[in-house]
Amino acid sequence: MQITKKFIVAGAGIVALIGGGGAAYAATTSATTAAPKVTAEQAIDIAHKTVPGAWVSELDFDARGSRADVWELELTKGSQRHEVDVDASSGKVVKNQIDKNDRDDDNDGDDDD
């Protein structure tokens, strides 16, 4: 009978540890994301400096979890579309590329791809 009580007590202790650990893990992963240090307006200013003369056609905030959060901006300058990602904590441009899928080389209003 003593051995059975020991197994029950040990089993209950293990269940309590696992349950507590699971609750702690859930608390850390479901915590709300802190507000970005770089505001949307600041990200737009940074993108305008990166692609002068362009206008912002799209702005999204991407909370990436384990990677750095970024502001994703799409800018249009003439017939080119630029994709610019701005780090939401440092303000550094981490991506700057011309979107080659949306080309309209002959300016007829439809994509040439």
Side-chain angles (χ1 to χ4, degrees):
M1 189 103 165
Q2 285 289 59
I3 294 175
T4 306
K5 283 185 180 179
K6 287 181 183 178
F7 281 128
I8 292 173
V9 171
I14 291 171
V15 169
L17 286 174
I18 292 172
Y25 176 77
T28 58
T29 58
S30 66
T32 57
T33 304
K37 293 179 182 177
V38 176
T39 66
E41 187 173 310
Q42 291 169 327
I44 290 170
D45 289 342
I46 293 166
H48 277 141
K49 289 176 185 173
T50 304
V51 186
W55 59 276
V56 177
S57 55
E58 192 173 314
L59 170 70
D60 293 311
F61 180 72
D62 187 5
R64 296 181 172 183
S66 62
R67 297 184 328 191
D69 298 341
V70 296
W71 288 102
E72 295 178 339
L73 296 99
E74 185 175 285
L75 295 97
T76 303
K77 182 176 183 179
S79 62
Q80 291 183 330
R81 285 214 170 118
H82 297 259
E83 294 179 9
V84 177
D85 288 0
V86 177
D87 187 298
S89 60
S90 69
K92 292 182 181 180
V93 175
V94 294
K95 176 182 172 185
N96 179 14
Q97 71 181 34
I98 297 173
D99 187 359
K100 297 179 181 182
N101 293 331
D102 290 333
R103 290 191 352 224
D104 184 18
D105 293 335
D106 55 7
N107 292 322
D108 62 356
D110 64 347
D111 290 344
D112 291 335
D113 291 330

